[in-house]
Amino acid sequence: MRPEVLFPLFAPVTSLAGVGARIAKAIDKAAGSRLVDLYWHLPTGIIDRRYAPTVAEARPGIVATMTVTVDEHKKPAVPRLPYKVYCSDDTGTLALVFFHAHADYLRRTLPEGETRVVSGKVETFGRELQITHPDHIGTMEELERMQAVEPVYGLTAGLSLRVLGKAMREALEQVPDLDEWIDPAYLGKQGWQPWKAALLEAHAPAELDALEPLAPVRARLAYDEMLANQLALALVRLNMRRTKGRAITGDGRLRQTVTGALPFSLTGSQETALGEIAADMATDTRMLRLLQGDVGSGKTVVALLSMLNAVEAGMQAVLMAPTDILARQHLATIEPLAETAGIKVALLTGREKGRARQAVLDGLASGEVSVAVGTHALFQDDVAFHDLGLAVIDEQHRFGVHQRLTLAAKGRAVDVLVMTATPIPRTLMLTAYGDMDVSRLLEKPAGRPPVDTRVMPLERLDEVTKGVGRSLQGGAKIYWVCPLVEESEALDVAAAEERFDHLKAVYGDRVGLVHGRMKGKEKDSVMEAFAEGAVDLLVATTVIEVGVDVAAATVMVIEHAERFGLAQLHQLRGRIGRGSDKSTCLLLYAPPLTETARARLGVLRETDDGFRIAEEDLRLRGAGELLGTRQSGLPEFRLADLAVHADLLAAARDDAQLILSRDPELKSERGQALRVLLYLFERDAAVKYLRSG
Ligand code: ADP
Ligand code: MG
C-alpha cells in the first residue's frame, strides 16, 4: 500500500485549479495524468527575462522585459489585420501586436497613459520595433511575481506553455518533504541537495547549464530513479534466493544419448554454459541465470540439455517462448532429439484447445509428460505440474520481468533459466536484470561464413528484383522484408501485400507472404512451405524477426532499412547465414540518409558481432530508443539517461546491494525512506517481497 505521504503526488492533474478535462487530456499527452508525472516532466529550456533594456537598446530576436507607458490603441481597419498598442519609454516606441484581439480585454490590461511591464520576443517590422503577443503584461507590482527565468517544457498540440507552466507551478507547491533515502555520506560527497529541494530546483533552472543531465539536481533525481530500479530488482532476487531451491543433479544418461545424436559437437561456449547451469541446479538455492547469446549461437541445445538434467533427476522441465511460431519451432528442434532419448515432449500454446489441451494438462499433472514447450499458456492458472524442476524462458529480445515474477510465484522452488538473443550492453543488463548470473555464448558454431551485407538505394529495386530472380534459379531461399510504416500494423501489411503481388506477378507460386495479421494456422502453413520447399521467396513483415529458423535461407532483402533500428536489423539478418553456404543481405534505403541512419547501416556492413552492434546502437540512439522501446518491456526511465548516467547506475546497484545486506527487510529509518522511494517510482510489486511490507 502506497504510503500516505505520497497520496498528493498520485492525485490526478484535474485536482489542480484551472485544469479541467480538456487541459488534463493535453497534459496527459505531454507528461502524464498525475502530479508526479508533472514532477518528472523536467524543463527542456529556459526563457530568460532578466534582459531588461530600454526600448532603444532592445535587440531583435531576444526575449526582453521592458517598462513602458501605454500611448495609444489602434484598432485595425480590417479584421484580419492585427490590433496594435503603441507604447514608449524615453528612448523610443514599441508596438504590441495582437491577432484576433479582444479589444475590451486589451483596453483593460493596457490602459492608455499607464505604466506597464511587458515581456516577450522583440522583433522589427518595417521600421517599427514590436512584440507580437507578449508573454507577460503587468503592472510594476505584478512584475515582482513574474519569474525572471521561466522554464520551458515539452508541449503538445492544444497545450500552451502558459497553461502548462501554471499547472506546474501549482503542482510544485504541493511537493511533500520526504525523508532522505540516499546515504548521507554519499549525498555529501556528490554535493546533492535533499529530494524536495532538488526537484524544485530542477524546475527552476537559472542557466542553460542547469538543464544538463549531469547538473547536480538532475543527477540526484536520476540516481533516485535508478536506485529504485536496482533496489526492486535486488529484492526480487533476494526473494528468489530466500525460497530454498532443490538440488537437481541428473546422472547424465539422457544428456549423453542426445549429445551423441547431435550432428555436431558443442562449442566451447556451450560447454561452459552447460557447466555453469548444472552447477547452479546442483545447489539448493534457486537458480536465476541468464543465457545470453546472439542469434544462431545455439541456445536451444543448451536449453534442451539443461532440461534433460532435470528429467534425469525425475523432474519436469518447461521451455516457454514469446510467440506461437517460436514455440512450435522449438518443438520441431527439440522433439526429435528428445525422442532419441525416449522422452515425450508436449506442446501447449493458446492454440491448443479442448481435448488436445486437456490431454497435455493431464500429462503434465501425472508426470507422464516430462518436457513441455509452449507460450505463457504454460503458466495459466489451471496448469498443474507433477513436479516442475526447471523453467527455461526464451525471451528473445523482449524482457519479461513480469513473466519471471509470475513464475517465481507459481513453482515454489523452480530453477529459472532466461534466454535472450539480444546482446545487451552492460548498462542495460543491469537495468533489466539487476545482478542476475549470466552465461554468454560468445562463440558461433563453426563453419558459418559471415553474411555479405550490402547497402544500396531503393532506386535499384529493379536490379535487385532481377538479382533475386537469378538467385531463385540457382535454388536459393529468400526473405523479402517489408518496411515499417509509422508503427501501424495495418499499413505494414498493406505494404507487404503490395510487394507480394508485385513479386508474385514475376515469379509466380514460389512467392509466399507472411504477416502479423494472419491467423496462426495460416502463418504456420506459409512458414512450413518456406521451410520445406514449395515457397522459395518469402515476403514478410517483421514477424520473422523473432527466432524463425530456416537454415537453408541465404538471401535477405530489407526494404527501407533506414527505418529499422540497428538491433532489429541485426536480428533480421540473423535469419540467414545459419548454414555453411554463403549468404547475402541487401539493405535498401531511400535517400537521402540522415547521418545516424548512415552510421547504423555502416555498422551492419562492417560487423555481425552482436555485442558490438548493441553498444553502437546505445551510442547512436540513446537507451530509451533501444530495442524498440515500449514493447521490449525494458524499464523506461523518465529521469535517468543511461547513455550519460551509467556510472550512477553502477553506484545505485552497489548501494542497493549494500542496503539489503544490512537491512534486508528495510526496517531501519533509512529503510523506511527507501520503501517510500520504491512507491514513488511505482515499484510497488517489489515491496511485496518484504515480509513486513
Ligand atoms: P539461437 O536460438 O541461439 O538463435 P539455435 O539454438 O536456434 O540458435 O541454433 C542455431 C542453429 O545452429 C541450429 O540449426 C542448431 O542446430 C545449430 N547449432 C547449435 N549448436 C551448434 C554447434 N555447436 N555446432 C554447429 N551447429 C550448431
Ligand atoms: Mg533459437
Side-chain angles (χ1 to χ4, degrees):
M1 286 239 275
R2 182 179 289 151
E4 218 163 301
V5 59
L6 294 182
F7 286 0
L9 276 72
F10 288 89
V13 290
T14 45
S15 66
L16 297 168
V19 178
R22 196 179 49 82
I23 293 175
K25 210 168 153 200
I27 291 182
D28 188 20
K29 265 218 181 119
S33 61
R34 307 154 308 173
L35 265 56
V36 69
D37 297 316
L38 285 177
Y39 298 162
W40 302 157
H41 194 64
L42 296 180
T44 54
I46 56 175
I47 300 173
D48 192 342
R49 300 196 187 281
R50 288 171 297 192
Y51 176 55
T54 61
V55 171
E57 286 168 348
R59 275 170 294 152
I62 296 178
V63 172
T65 304
M66 289 178 273
T67 307
V68 291
T69 308
V70 180
D71 299 326
E72 190 188 5
H73 281 242
K74 267 213 173 135
K75 252 186 148 156
V78 282
R80 71 191 155 71
L81 290 176
Y83 188 107
K84 290 190 180 183
V85 181
Y86 287 94
C87 308
S88 62
D89 65 5
D90 296 343
T91 66
T93 305
L94 173 73
L96 305 180
V97 179
F98 302 89
F99 291 87
H100 312 292
H102 293 288
D104 290 351
Y105 170 76
L106 290 176
R107 286 209 173 272
R108 257 183 287 125
T109 40
L110 292 161
E112 283 171 14
E114 304 251 327
T115 302
R116 286 291 180 270
V117 177
V118 297
S119 184
K121 187 144 132 221
V122 177
E123 37 194 53
T124 43
F125 184 75
R127 266 179 313 173
E128 267 176 21
L129 197 67
Q130 65 178 36
I131 297 179
T132 307
H133 293 166
D135 304 322
H136 293 278
I137 302 171
T139 60
M140 300 287 270
E141 298 80 65
E142 281 164 342
L143 170 75
E144 310 258 296
R145 268 177 278 141
M146 192 176 82
Q147 286 167 290
V149 180
E150 219 174 295
V152 174
Y153 294 98
L155 301 168
T156 49
L159 184 67
S160 68
L161 184 58
R162 191 184 304 228
V163 169
L164 180 61
K166 186 170 167 292
M168 190 67 87
R169 281 191 298 279
E170 211 197 313
L172 288 171
E173 272 168 30
Q174 300 180 38
V175 177
D177 267 312
L178 299 176
D179 291 335
E180 188 56 66
W181 47 74
I182 295 181
D183 172 50
Y186 189 64
L187 197 74
K189 190 176 135 233
Q190 296 285 350
W192 287 342
Q193 305 188 44
W195 177 75
K196 178 175 175 176
L199 182 67
L200 294 179
E201 195 179 315
H203 281 279
E207 306 292 340
L208 281 172
D209 285 356
L211 302 171
E212 296 293 325
L214 289 173
V217 287
R218 294 220 171 189
R220 148 132 216 176
L221 297 175
Y223 185 80
D224 291 339
E225 185 174 38
M226 293 187 287
L227 182 59
N229 162 268
Q230 290 299 300
L231 193 59
L233 286 167
L235 277 169
V236 171
R237 183 183 160 96
L238 186 70
N239 184 66
M240 292 267 312
R241 288 272 147 99
R242 211 181 256 156
T243 35
K244 252 206 176 321
R246 300 147 76 194
I248 305 177
T249 321
D251 56 13
R253 137 188 76 88
L254 300 173
R255 279 173 286 174
Q256 233 158 33
T257 313
V258 168
T259 315
L262 290 173
F264 48 76
S265 48
L266 298 174
T267 65
S269 289
Q270 285 170 321
E271 297 274 14
T272 311
L274 281 165
E276 288 163 346
I277 293 164
D280 277 2
M281 289 174 74
T283 65
D284 63 2
T285 43
R286 290 178 70 185
M287 170 168 81
L288 182 56
R289 181 171 283 276
L290 182 69
L291 177 62
Q292 200 184 11
D294 211 344
V295 206
S297 58
K299 294 183 294 295
T300 318
V301 181
V302 175
L304 173 62
L305 292 172
S306 306
M307 292 199 285
L308 292 178
N309 182 26
V311 178
E312 285 166 11
M315 298 177 201
Q316 292 167 297
V318 294
L319 169 56
M320 182 175 93
T323 65
D324 282 3
I325 294 196
L326 264 173
R328 268 153 231 280
Q329 210 155 64
H330 280 315
L331 183 79
T333 317
I334 280 174
E335 197 168 33
L337 287 169
E339 270 170 5
T340 62
I343 298 301
K344 204 175 152 190
V345 183
L347 178 71
L348 191 64
T349 71
R351 281 200 259 149
E352 274 64 51
K353 298 230 164 73
R355 286 240 289 277
R357 179 166 192 273
Q358 194 53 50
V360 176
L361 294 189
D362 293 345
L364 289 173
S366 71
E368 189 201 337
V369 171
S370 31
V371 172
V373 176
T375 58
H376 56 268
L378 281 167
F379 291 101
Q380 261 145 25
D381 284 342
D382 61 341
V383 182
F385 293 92
H386 176 66
D387 186 8
L388 184 61
L390 172 69
V392 182
I393 305 175
D394 183 3
E395 296 190 332
Q396 291 294 330
H397 53 279
R398 287 160 218 230
F399 302 89
V401 182
H402 279 296
Q403 284 167 344
R404 261 175 278 140
L405 291 183
T406 346
L407 223 163
K410 185 106 189 169
R412 289 153 300 118
V414 177
D415 279 343
V416 176
L417 178 68
V418 180
M419 305 201 290
T420 171
T422 311
I424 316 158
R426 182 81 199 133
T427 28
L428 291 188
M429 280 280 303
L430 271 181
T431 65
Y433 295 104
D435 261 359
M436 208 155 142
D437 299 309
V438 181
S439 298
R440 283 183 166 185
L441 300 183
L442 293 170
E443 227 174 314
K444 288 259 166 83
R448 298 228 187 107
V451 176
D452 178 13
T453 301
R454 298 182 206 168
V455 179
M456 52 179 76
L458 265 168
E459 291 136 34
R460 291 169 64 185
L461 192 68
D462 278 348
E463 210 180 301
V464 171
T465 311
K466 286 196 191 110
V468 159
R470 281 192 299 277
S471 300
L472 278 174
Q473 259 169 7
K477 291 217 166 270
I478 303 171
Y479 288 108
W480 189 298
V481 183
C482 291
L484 283 169
V485 189
E486 314 247 321
E487 311 244 316
S488 146
E489 201 186 20
L491 291 175
D492 284 4
V493 168
E497 274 168 348
E498 195 178 313
R499 181 59 66 215
F500 170 68
D501 289 342
H502 166 224
L503 289 169
K504 200 172 164 80
V506 187
Y507 300 116
D509 286 343
R510 296 173 72 187
V511 187
L513 171 67
V514 62
H515 59 67
R517 290 243 168 138
M518 283 162 73
K519 291 234 165 60
K521 282 224 173 89
E522 274 177 278
K523 255 193 267 183
D524 286 353
S525 74
V526 177
M527 290 308 301
E528 238 172 75
F530 185 56
E532 271 149 33
V535 168
D536 294 314
L537 174 55
L538 184 66
V539 180
T541 57
T542 47
V543 289
I544 60 153
E545 171 189 356
V546 181
V548 171
D549 193 2
V550 177
T554 52
V555 180
M556 177 174 283
V557 178
I558 303 181
E559 275 187 63
H560 282 290
E562 79 281 0
R563 294 188 192 163
F564 294 91
L566 190 44
Q568 199 175 18
L569 287 170
H570 175 63
Q571 292 284 344
L572 283 168
R573 184 176 59 177
R575 302 298 115 220
I576 57 172
R578 312 197 109 205
S580 52
D581 291 341
K582 216 165 164 6
S583 297
T584 310
C585 180
L586 302 179
L587 303 174
L588 303 183
Y589 67 88
L593 281 180
T594 64
E595 209 169 299
T596 324
R598 185 183 303 280
R600 244 187 279 163
L601 299 182
V603 170
L604 277 170
R605 202 177 41 209
E606 268 168 42
T607 182
D608 70 344
D609 174 346
F611 286 95
R612 209 195 122 200
I613 288 173
E615 297 288 351
E616 289 293 324
D617 205 12
L618 182 61
R619 201 174 57 76
L620 289 171
R621 305 209 292 162
E625 277 178 77
L626 197 67
L627 310 164
T629 51
R630 261 158 223 239
Q631 71 194 18
S632 74
L634 202 69
E636 281 177 78
F637 289 118
R638 303 196 51 184
L639 302 168
D641 176 353
L642 296 179
V644 201
H645 294 132
D647 292 347
L648 287 179
L649 178 67
R653 177 211 43 201
D654 295 345
D655 200 6
Q657 274 165 4
L658 192 66
I659 289 163
L660 291 183
S661 72
R662 288 184 183 160
D663 181 17
E665 295 297 333
L666 298 183
K667 277 187 177 142
S668 65
E669 204 175 310
R670 185 178 172 210
Q672 298 293 337
L674 284 158
R675 285 175 186 236
V676 174
L677 173 72
L678 288 170
Y679 283 111
L680 177 61
F681 286 99
E682 299 171 76
R683 301 296 201 276
D684 301 25
V687 186
K688 295 208 184 80
Y689 288 115
L690 298 167
R691 255 173 240 153
S692 45

